[in-house]
Amino acid sequence: TIAAIAALTRSDLMLPHTRTSDDAAQIQTADALLEPLRRWPSAKPAALPNTATRPGMLGTAQVESIEALTAAFRDADNRHGGVLSRRAVVAQMSEINDLLATATYTEATGRRLFRAVADLGSVAGWISFDAGAHLSAQRLFVTAVHAASEGGDRQLAAHILQCMARQMSHLGHVEDALELVALAQYGARRHAGPGTRAILAALHSRFSAMRGDLEESQRAAGEAEDAFARIRPDDEPPHTAFFDEAELSATLGIAHQIAAKHATGPHRTQRAEQSLTLLNNALHLRPAGRVRSRAFDHIGLARTHLAVGELAGACQEATTALTITEGLHSTRIADRLSELHEETDPHADNSDINALRERLEHVVGTAH
């Protein structure tokens, strides 16, 4: 009876979170998700349906236009969040898929078109994830992995799998997230450049910290830093461009923040200090267009301050984050703010924290 009452009252008092939505409850997890994807590393591209050589066929210029459009959608998502552009990017993916089915093209153009569809699919999935449409996001990601495979691009498929891993960790399926990272690392093992390796190792560090495996988290962080040091931007595919020094610092900063919550004594303080250093470095290096990322950085700093009881710092960073989020349409941001609200609960008797909680309740309630 005590447990039942606790569950009922807690669910009534908690701020909304897409992790508990009906949509999130329908996503595939564990073997239902992973088993079909495990065949990806050994899959061979099938024959293309409409290869030909005749006037009026689809050419390089049209594919380049699709790639430019994908870059524009990705930039809009970074600046404004995914809610506003979700339907537009999904509709564009449908149009491009019609080209694959009906147009004629050379073998090389057809494979590149499949890669373009896969990359656009990764953006469509990411935008859907950011908008809280988790089931749609997962289906788009899975389909995009297959499209990347048909395009013969294992690095792109690995990129899409890491997007899926981020979604699964966001929804609390940490073991699945780690499996997806491992699958990406295995499938792209002979093809991945330093950028892809750095992304996957950094996420492995973050998810290991979430699981409480702090030694493995530390090892993977070192692996990510080593791989990042070997990056040569001109040799990297476009989809890894987001993973700059700011993103590396942010990812590892959050890993240290999570580790601080698991650690005790001086180790807790040490991890928190590392988190603050890395997250501040991320903020310093963020390009102007990465608005949502800057909001995440400030939320991360607030949560790190809270982890070690620095309430003034938490309030300051959270207030800055809330100012930035006024121009964003992102349920992921709202979810993070909801988690921040939960973490302020032990300090609710502090007047500044109490005022922050009231503002968080208003912002999150409006966003959801």
Side-chain angles (χ1 to χ4, degrees), residues 29-47:
T29 60
D31 284 345
L33 170 65
L34 296 166
E35 196 56 41
L37 289 170
R38 288 191 179 113
R39 294 192 287 272
W40 161 70
S42 59
K44 304 295 182 186

Side-chain angles (χ1 to χ4, degrees), residues 171-238:
L171 295 177
H173 303 287
V174 180
E175 294 297 332
D176 290 341
L178 281 164
E179 287 285 347
L180 287 165
V181 168
L183 184 60
Q185 290 170 321
Y186 176 74
R189 64 196 181 282
R190 291 192 294 270
H191 307 271
T196 299
R197 295 180 187 277
I199 294 167
L200 295 174
L203 287 179
H204 185 87
S205 174
R206 180 171 170 173
F207 302 152
S208 295
M210 292 175 74
R211 192 172 59 176
D213 192 345
L214 304 193
E215 288 188 9
E216 179 62 13
S217 176
Q218 189 84 331
R219 184 205 64 77
E223 183 182 330
E225 291 169 338
D226 290 344
F228 187 85
R230 298 194 300 274
I231 290 177
R232 300 293 178 267
D234 291 344
D235 298 332
E236 290 291 325

Side-chain angles (χ1 to χ4, degrees), residues 12-28:
D12 195 53
L13 292 171
M14 283 172 58
L15 292 183
H17 193 297
T18 62
R19 182 185 300 139
T20 57
S21 68
D22 291 340
D23 186 76
Q26 297 180 60
I27 65 167
Q28 297 292 321

Side-chain angles (χ1 to χ4, degrees), residues 140-358:
L140 285 163
F141 284 142
V142 170
T143 305
V145 169
H146 293 303
S149 183
E150 293 299 340
D153 194 332
R154 290 184 175 272
Q155 284 205 99
L156 179 54
H159 165 70
I160 299 162
L161 286 168
Q162 69 87 21
C163 291
M164 295 180 69
R166 291 172 189 263
Q167 180 194 23
M168 296 307 283
S169 73
H170 182 83
L171 295 177
H173 303 287
V174 180
E175 294 297 332
D176 290 341
L178 281 164
E179 287 285 347
L180 287 165
V181 168
L183 184 60
Q185 290 170 321
Y186 176 74
R189 64 196 181 282
R190 291 192 294 270
H191 307 271
T196 299
R197 295 180 187 277
I199 294 167
L200 295 174
L203 287 179
H204 185 87
S205 174
R206 180 171 170 173
F207 302 152
S208 295
M210 292 175 74
R211 192 172 59 176
D213 192 345
L214 304 193
E215 288 188 9
E216 179 62 13
S217 176
Q218 189 84 331
R219 184 205 64 77
E223 183 182 330
E225 291 169 338
D226 290 344
F228 187 85
R230 298 194 300 274
I231 290 177
R232 300 293 178 267
D234 291 344
D235 298 332
E236 290 291 325
H239 58 260
T240 65
F242 81 97
F243 198 77
D244 52 13
E245 186 180 347
E247 190 65 23
L248 173 70
S249 294
T251 306
L252 297 185
I254 295 299
H256 283 296
Q257 174 209 103
I258 297 165
K261 296 174 184 176
H262 289 282
T264 56
H267 294 294
R268 185 185 185 92
T269 303
Q270 181 185 16
R271 289 285 195 156
E273 289 174 351
Q274 288 176 297
S275 175
L276 292 173
T277 298
L278 286 164
L279 289 171
N280 276 307
N281 187 55
L283 267 172
H284 175 70
L285 295 172
R286 286 289 187 198
R290 300 293 296 277
V291 179
R292 183 179 54 209
S293 295
R294 286 176 47 236
F296 276 130
D297 293 340
H298 283 291
I299 294 170
L301 285 165
R303 296 176 74 176
T304 302
H305 281 299
L306 271 179
V308 290
E310 297 174 356
L311 303 189
C315 287
Q316 179 180 340
E317 296 296 343
T319 299
T320 303
L322 286 168
T323 301
I324 295 172
T325 61
E326 289 174 359
L328 290 170
H329 303 272
S330 166
T331 60
R332 277 197 304 142
I333 289 285
D335 287 348
R336 288 287 176 260
L337 292 174
S338 177
E339 291 167 352
L340 177 61
H341 181 273
E342 292 172 23
E343 291 168 6
T344 61
D345 187 59
H347 310 287
D349 57 346
N350 178 280
S351 59
D352 291 336
I353 291 289
N354 189 51
L356 173 64
R357 284 169 61 82
E358 289 181 0

Side-chain angles (χ1 to χ4, degrees), residues 51-107:
T51 54
T53 53
R54 65 171 183 263
M57 62 191 302
L58 192 70
T60 302
Q62 290 95 328
V63 181
E64 288 176 349
S65 296
I66 295 166
E67 292 166 347
L69 187 63
T70 300
F73 274 122
R74 187 173 272 131
D75 182 63
D77 172 56
N78 286 327
R79 291 178 183 275
H80 309 296
V83 172
L84 296 179
S85 6
R86 191 176 83 83
R87 291 188 177 182
V89 72
V90 171
Q92 191 62 52
M93 189 179 176
S94 175
E95 290 289 330
I96 297 168
N97 193 59
D98 286 345
L99 287 178
L100 270 170
T102 60
T104 56
Y105 34 73
T106 64
E107 174 75 18

